[in-house]
């Protein structure tokens, strides 16, 4: 599992020109699920994301998590995180999970984040989406379960 974590001042996602997810300060997550991923991978990534200390404390040190800050999460399913560009010019997505499995694990990931106390907004699984964010810092971290 791969989660591209972006510290954001705000983020939103639209489907068919309708806003379906919108957050203020917090994290924008691009979430990729591979064929090999299990519930254990999902739980590991959810715990890691929720407790990742990438927000500044009163001393301007990155010592606080999104939970500490009371921030929200915008979670976007992103199978293209498993695009392999080693050969040719067109990415190969063979490692990405099939939609049925990916959707189930993506929803489980969001459920775990909610259980940890986070407010989670999402895009629409499988839809063409327009994602907008103001990256704060910028701070962008890749979290992987492998």
């Amino acid at each position: 599992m791969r989660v591209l974590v972006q510290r954001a001042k705000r983020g939103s996602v639209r489907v068919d020109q309708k806003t379906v997810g919108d957050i203020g300060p917090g994290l924008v997550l691009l979430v990729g699920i591979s064929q090999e991923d299990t519930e254990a991978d999902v739980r590991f990534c959810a715990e890691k994301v929720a407790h990742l200390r990438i927000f500044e404390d009163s001393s301007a040190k990155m010592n606080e998590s999104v939970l500490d800050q009371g921030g929200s999460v915008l979670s976007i399913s992103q199978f293209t995180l498993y695009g392999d560009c080693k050969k040719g010019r067109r990415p190969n997505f063979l490692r990405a999970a099939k939609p049925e499995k990916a959707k189930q694990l993506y929803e489980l990931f969001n459920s775990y984040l909610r259980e940890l106390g986070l407010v989670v907004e999402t895009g629409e699984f499988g839809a063409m989406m327009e994602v907008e964010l103001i990256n704060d810092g910028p701070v962008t971290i890749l979290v992987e379960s492998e």
Side-chain angles (χ1 to χ4, degrees), residues 5 28 32 36 39 52 57-58 66 80 90 95 111 118 129 133 141:
V5 179
V28 174
E36 299 85 27
E39 186 175 335
L52 198 59
D57 63 13
S58 59
V66 67
T80 60
R90 183 181 310 199
R95 282 201 60 211
S111 176
L118 290 165
M129 295 176 270
L133 80 139
I141 306 286

Side-chain angles (χ1 to χ4, degrees), residues 17 27 34 37 60 78 81 92 96 144:
Q17 284 119 27
L27 301 174
S34 78
D37 289 333
Q78 186 76 41
L81 285 175
N92 164 338
E144 294 184 275

Side-chain angles (χ1 to χ4, degrees), residues 125-143:
F125 185 91
M128 289 297 291
M129 295 176 270
E130 296 175 5
V131 180
E132 189 174 64
L133 80 139
I134 298 175
N135 193 318
D136 184 18
V139 174
T140 302
I141 306 286
L142 181 61
V143 172

Side-chain angles (χ1 to χ4, degrees), residues 12 38 63 93 120 125:
S12 65
T38 66
N63 277 328
F93 299 105
V120 179
F125 185 91

